[in-house]
Structures are given as structure tokens and as C-alpha cells.
Amino acid sequence: EIGPLMPEAGIIGEEGAARTGAGRYRIVIDPIDGTAAFVSGLPTWCVCVGVLRDGEPVAGVVHLPCTGETFSARDGEGWWNGSRLPPLGAPAVIGDRFVAADGKLHVRRRITYPGKVRSLGSGAYHVLLAARGAAEAALLGHAHLWDLVAPGAVLAAVGGRFEYLGGGPVDLMALADGRRAPDEILAGAPAALERVRPLLGRA
């Protein structure tokens, strides 16, 4: 049903939905981000639909059916449940300082981050927690394109970005063939990423 709305756009989906397309746009779909959370009955899985324009995430919607939360972005504005998200750098929504990370971070790394580390089961949701200022940053594993585009549009709208943990920007179009990112990915405001990076050293 999405295809006819943007007939020239390519379509990339985790579950095999694919269309090459001839234009500048790619629609990227993840029907369930956080499959393990879904299977375990946790409420933090989400549905992601994002739009890439020339490799940049420019629009997206992420919906959490269990909690009723909806994040969206378009035209450089980010929204959370109908309220516009402020630019990153404004006071955090939640007082506790934390990084959102995948559940095996403690196995891979020697963590010296002085705040809390929380794992809620969905990389997309972790990015959105950073985008709304609740988390200082999010650390994803070797993510796929469909994990990044929809929440990345919200993140970009508030002044955040993706960077590889080892340094350097993330080229989303390099992941368009379905491969995993070659390194772990940090998400958040640029200044926050610089603060957090050295505190998540290798184990």
C-alpha cells in the first residue's frame, strides 16, 4: 500500500519486500524492530517506516503498539506523540543520565560510563530515546539499514547523527544491499558522542 504513494521510490524491507525504483528515494521498512522483545512479551518492540533521499534519512515513523508511542519526522521536524521534539542540547526529559545499548554490551566491553546503561530490546527505540533527550546516547550493534532509517530521520531532525564507534560517519547507502554495518554505531548529539565514545572501551 505504501508503494503507490511514491511510485518511483525503491523499497527495502527486512522481511524481503523489495523494489529497485528509479528515483532519489528509498522506502525502508522494518515490520518488527526488537523481535526478541516481541517474543518475550516486552512492550518495547516497534514498527519502522523510513524514507531515504539520496542516502539521507528525511522522513520516518516509528510506532510502539504496546505503549501507544509514535515518533515521526518530516521536513526537518521531529515529533513524539504529537508534540514537537526540541533540538538536542536542551535539558533532558528524564533526570537519570544513561546510555541505551544492546543487551550484550557488558560482555563485549569494559564500561567506564558513570551513568546507567539500559537495554530495552529495540535498537530503533534506543535511538529515539537519544533523540528525545532521555538517553545521553545510544550504542547499537552492527545494525542493518532498516534498523536505522526511520529513527535516524527523527534523530537528524533534532540535530543528532550516527557515527561508528571507531569514528567516522555512517554511510547508509553502503548498507542498502542488506549487509550489517562494519562497526558498532553510536547515535546522539555530536558533543554527546564525543563524551561517551571513550567510556565504552573494548573488553
Side-chain angles (χ1 to χ4, degrees), residues 62-127:
V62 180
H63 179 63
L64 285 80
C66 294
T67 67
E69 291 180 89
T70 301
F71 294 81
S72 61
R74 181 183 175 188
D75 298 327
E77 295 183 356
W79 301 83
W80 174 40
N81 289 344
S83 297
R84 182 149 179 207
L85 288 167
L88 287 173
V93 175
I94 296 175
D96 282 349
R97 184 179 176 196
F98 74 95
V99 166
D102 71 81
K104 293 188 177 180
L105 177 65
H106 66 289
V107 175
R108 299 192 311 272
R109 303 194 166 278
R110 183 177 298 110
I111 304 163
T112 57
Y113 178 72
K116 297 178 179 179
V117 177
R118 291 184 167 140
S119 180
L120 301 172
S122 163
Y125 188 51
H126 290 166
V127 173

Side-chain angles (χ1 to χ4, degrees), residues 7 10 27 54 56-58 60 71 73 84 120-121 126 131 141 144 152 163 167 181 185 194 196 201:
I27 302 166
D54 298 329
E56 297 296 322
V58 294
F71 294 81
R84 182 149 179 207
L120 301 172
H126 290 166
H144 289 97
E163 293 180 1
I185 294 174
E194 290 305 308
V196 167

